[in-house]
């Protein structure tokens, strides 16, 4: 009986038996398609965009849309109530300087709003960030790291038997960060087989949540540590994190922006460096390959960790947030959280100065030619503008690769995820 039940479970997991139907996608779609397959143009060229509104892949007649078009985050064309008799419309746009030209389309059908977009790149390899690097930037951070290391890690480790596999042991761990009892928590995954291994630090996107740990990469022959950033356990029920995010930690990314020493991100960045200390001292790391990777806020933390710590041999930021905060002061798309976009920085002189110490661009400037990077992002991302992503990539002088997935917004395509994972495994020496 037990054997039969196990076989049925396997069949369900592998999709052989019927399972509950999943809800995916929408019947109604808005597609905005450029006339260049790579969505890329040179400054001065004209891009043509075709808008298509369809239901079940068939064009809809007499549908009404609103649309905006122009430089990313600064549209100069706004139209409402445009009727598409045959479900299609063609628009044109151009840029006179490097950047992204974006078309946003919305429609409401049967009381539900739908949206689509397309952002075309114009000479993106010429984009440069606007943020200024403080003269004491590197010294400030190295001093902060030195002070944090005066606090012992004092680690804890708790086996999570329900998560372990035949190949990987899984633990919840914690260690002190920049002050006594200021702890960082994470999920450590270690191959069961005795030996020394490459290591991967996974850093989180914005928010408050539990973590499962990177068991897959560990099963391929690497030590993995996935950390939280808020000083609380990462194995509690989701409701706990929801309550904290909507209460005590609401808008934490804005905290302490009047002073570089008070920024909430100081403990977060230092926590990433202390995580590398933990990997070095308390895991079977081989002392050679060491990677860091994450998306959104985690993309920023990947840049910060690689820039500050030369133990990192490779890094992979995906749609990295917190890059080029001051771009909006010059009328250019800025990175999340868009600190100075709404009021153009008026009365925020102290915040502007502080932002330079927490700008992914300035950390990227510290990355060396001995550290290899893989950058990926979406052209349609309206949280992390591709303008900032390309400018950050351009500022890196070390070995690097770029792999945009143009149609993605602030999410992944499966192929993008697979490419990311395969790149990390290859750089860690886990895959040829």
């Amino acid at each position: 009986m037990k054997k039969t039940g196990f076989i049925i479970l396997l069949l369900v997991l592998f999709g052989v038996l019927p399972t509950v139907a999943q809800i995916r996608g929408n019947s109604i779609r808005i597609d905005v398609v450029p006339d260049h397959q790579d969505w890329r143009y040179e400054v001065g060229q004209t891009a043509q965009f075709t808008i298509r509104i369809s239901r079940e892949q068939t064009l809809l007649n007499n549908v009404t849309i609103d649309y905006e078009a122009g430089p990313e985050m600064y549209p100069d064309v706004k139209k409402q109530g445009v009727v598409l008799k045959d479900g299609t419309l063609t628009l044109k746009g151009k840029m006179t300087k490097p950047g992204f030209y974006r078309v946003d389309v919305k429609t409401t059908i049967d009381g539900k709003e739908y949206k689509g977009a397309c952002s075309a790149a114009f000479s993106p390899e010429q984009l440069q960030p606007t943020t200024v690097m403080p003269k004491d930037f590197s010294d400030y951070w190295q001093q902060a790291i030195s002070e944090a290391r005066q606090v012992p890690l004092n680690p804890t480790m708790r086996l999570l038997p329900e998560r372990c596999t035949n190949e990987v042991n899984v633990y919840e761990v914690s260690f002190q960060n920049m002050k006594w009892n200021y702890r960082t928590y994470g999920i450590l995954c270690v191959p069961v087989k005795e030996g020394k291994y490459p290591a991967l630090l996974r850093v989180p996107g914005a928010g408050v949540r539990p973590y499962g740990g990177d068991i897959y990469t560990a099963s391929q022959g690497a030590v993995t540590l996935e950390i939280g950033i808020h000083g609380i356990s990462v194995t509690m029920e989701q409701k706990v994190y929801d309550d904290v995010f909507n209460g005590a930690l609401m808008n934490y990314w804005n905290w302490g922006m009047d002073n570089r020493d008070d920024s909430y991100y100081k403990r977060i960045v230092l926590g990433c460096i202390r995580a590398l200390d933990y990997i070095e001292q308390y895991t079977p790391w081989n002392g050679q390959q060491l990677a860091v990777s994450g998306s959104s806020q985690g993309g920023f933390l990947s840049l910060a960790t690689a820039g500050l710590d030369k133990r990192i041999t490779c890094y992979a930021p995906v749609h990295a947030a917190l890059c080029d905060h001051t771009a909006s002061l010059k009328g250019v798309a800025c990175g999340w959280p868009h600190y100075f976009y709404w009021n153009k920085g008026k009365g925020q002189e102290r915040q502007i100065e502080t932002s330079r110490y927490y700008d992914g661009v300035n950390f990227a400037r510290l990355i060396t030619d001995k550290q290899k990077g893989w950058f990926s992002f979406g052209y349609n991302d309206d949280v992390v503008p591709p303008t900032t992503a390309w400018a950050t990539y351009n500022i890196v002088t070390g070995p690097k690769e770029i792999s945009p997935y143009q149609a993605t917004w602030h999410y992944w395509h499966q192929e993008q995820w697979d490419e990311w994972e395969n790149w990390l495994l290859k750089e860690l020496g886990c895959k040829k």
Side-chain angles (χ1 to χ4, degrees):
M1 182 65 69
K2 290 183 178 179
K3 183 176 181 181
T4 301
F6 179 71
I7 292 174
I8 291 175
L9 175 61
L10 287 178
L11 291 173
V12 170
L13 290 175
F14 284 96
V16 178
L17 295 182
T19 59
V20 177
Q22 296 180 350
I23 299 174
R24 293 184 180 180
N26 291 300
S27 171
I28 295 171
R29 290 176 52 93
I30 299 178
D31 293 306
V32 187
V33 183
D35 59 343
H36 283 193
Q37 287 186 343
D38 60 0
W39 298 36
R40 196 162 170 173
Y41 302 80
E42 298 300 321
V43 168
Q45 287 184 314
T46 298
Q48 180 169 290
F49 303 89
T50 301
I51 300 170
R52 300 190 183 100
I53 316 295
S54 63
R55 187 198 300 267
E56 295 300 311
Q57 302 183 43
T58 302
L59 291 173
L60 282 173
N61 295 329
N62 299 314
V63 62
T64 301
I65 68 168
D66 300 333
Y67 72 83
E68 297 182 348
E72 186 181 26
M73 293 183 74
Y74 295 93
D76 51 19
V77 177
K78 298 183 180 182
K79 300 288 185 180
Q80 293 184 328
V82 178
V83 178
L84 277 57
K85 292 184 178 180
D86 61 355
T88 67
L89 178 68
T90 298
L91 303 176
K92 293 183 179 181
K94 65 189 300 183
M95 297 282 286
T96 58
K97 59 183 179 180
F100 281 78
Y101 190 94
R102 183 179 177 95
V103 177
D104 276 292
V105 183
K106 293 182 180 179
T107 188
T108 300
I109 298 176
D110 297 331
K112 182 177 180 180
E113 183 179 85
Y114 300 87
K115 66 179 183 178
C118 178
S119 294
F122 284 80
S123 304
E125 69 284 347
Q126 296 178 23
L127 283 166
Q128 291 295 306
T130 67
T131 190
V132 176
M133 188 176 194
K135 292 181 180 179
D136 67 343
F137 182 86
S138 182
D139 291 341
Y140 171 77
W141 279 107
Q142 292 307 319
Q143 179 63 29
I145 293 169
S146 177
E147 292 173 359
R149 284 178 173 156
Q150 294 177 20
V151 179
L153 288 172
N154 191 20
T156 67
M157 175 183 285
R158 179 172 67 92
L159 183 69
L160 303 175
E162 70 280 5
R163 301 191 190 186
C164 296
T165 70
N166 291 334
E167 298 175 315
V168 179
N169 287 326
V170 183
Y171 308 86
E172 182 180 38
V173 301
S174 76
F175 44 87
Q176 293 192 131
N177 186 330
M178 57 183 279
K179 297 179 181 179
W180 285 90
N181 294 322
Y182 231 48
R183 303 192 74 82
T184 295
Y185 287 78
I187 302 296
L188 175 69
C189 300
V190 181
V192 170
K193 185 178 179 181
E194 290 279 338
K196 295 291 186 178
Y197 296 94
L200 168 64
L201 174 65
R202 287 199 179 272
V203 284
V208 189
R209 64 183 70 84
Y211 294 98
D214 186 356
I215 298 172
Y216 172 75
T217 303
S219 73
Q220 303 303 299
V223 171
T224 66
L225 176 59
E226 182 177 33
I227 61 170
I229 57 174
H230 299 297
I232 58 177
S233 170
V234 293
T235 57
M236 298 182 288
E237 295 182 0
Q238 181 64 50
K239 185 179 185 304
V240 175
Y241 303 100
D242 293 340
D243 290 344
V244 171
F245 182 63
N246 293 313
L249 289 175
M250 183 178 290
N251 295 326
Y252 68 83
W253 45 83
N254 291 319
W255 294 3
M257 285 299 291
D258 288 338
N259 187 295
R260 65 184 185 181
D261 291 323
D262 295 335
S263 170
Y264 191 75
Y265 277 106
K266 183 173 183 179
R267 68 161 291 161
I268 296 174
V269 171
L270 291 176
C272 295
I273 304 303
R274 300 311 312 270
L276 299 184
D277 294 344
Y278 177 87
I279 289 173
E280 181 176 32
Q281 297 177 37
Y282 293 99
T283 77
W285 175 45
N286 64 14
Q288 298 176 31
Q289 303 99 328
L290 181 58
V292 62
S293 188
S295 62
S296 194
Q297 175 186 263
F300 157 73
L301 294 175
S302 299
L303 294 169
T305 306
L308 293 176
D309 200 310
K310 302 318 170 212
R311 287 175 294 185
I312 293 295
T313 57
C314 60
Y315 61 100
V318 180
H319 43 253
L322 291 114
C323 289
D324 210 13
H325 299 301
T326 56
S328 58
L329 304 181
K330 298 182 180 297
V332 177
C334 58
W336 180 90
H338 316 300
Y339 286 127
F340 314 119
Y341 177 69
W342 306 108
N343 67 351
K344 303 185 186 302
K346 294 179 180 178
Q348 293 182 289
E349 289 75 16
R350 294 176 64 182
Q351 291 91 337
I352 291 170
E353 181 59 28
T354 297
S355 77
R356 295 185 173 116
Y357 290 89
Y358 297 93
D359 196 309
V361 168
N362 287 333
F363 290 107
R365 287 174 164 139
L366 299 179
I367 292 172
T368 72
D369 59 4
K370 294 183 179 180
Q371 299 169 291
K372 187 175 181 180
W374 184 84
F375 292 70
S376 189
F377 47 89
Y379 285 4
N380 282 349
D381 196 334
D382 55 354
V383 177
V384 172
T387 297
T388 67
W390 258 103
T392 304
Y393 172 82
N394 290 341
I395 206 69
V396 174
T397 58
K400 58 188 178 182
E401 300 175 33
I402 190 167
S403 184
Y405 281 71
Q406 291 87 343
T408 58
W409 293 54
H410 202 58
Y411 55 73
W412 304 69
H413 280 163
Q414 184 63 54
E415 294 86 349
Q416 183 182 21
W417 181 280
D418 293 342
E419 183 182 352
W420 178 53
E421 179 67 26
N422 289 333
W423 186 88
L424 286 169
L425 290 174
K426 181 179 178 181
E427 293 303 317
L428 289 171
C430 299
K431 187 175 185 177
K432 295 181 179 179

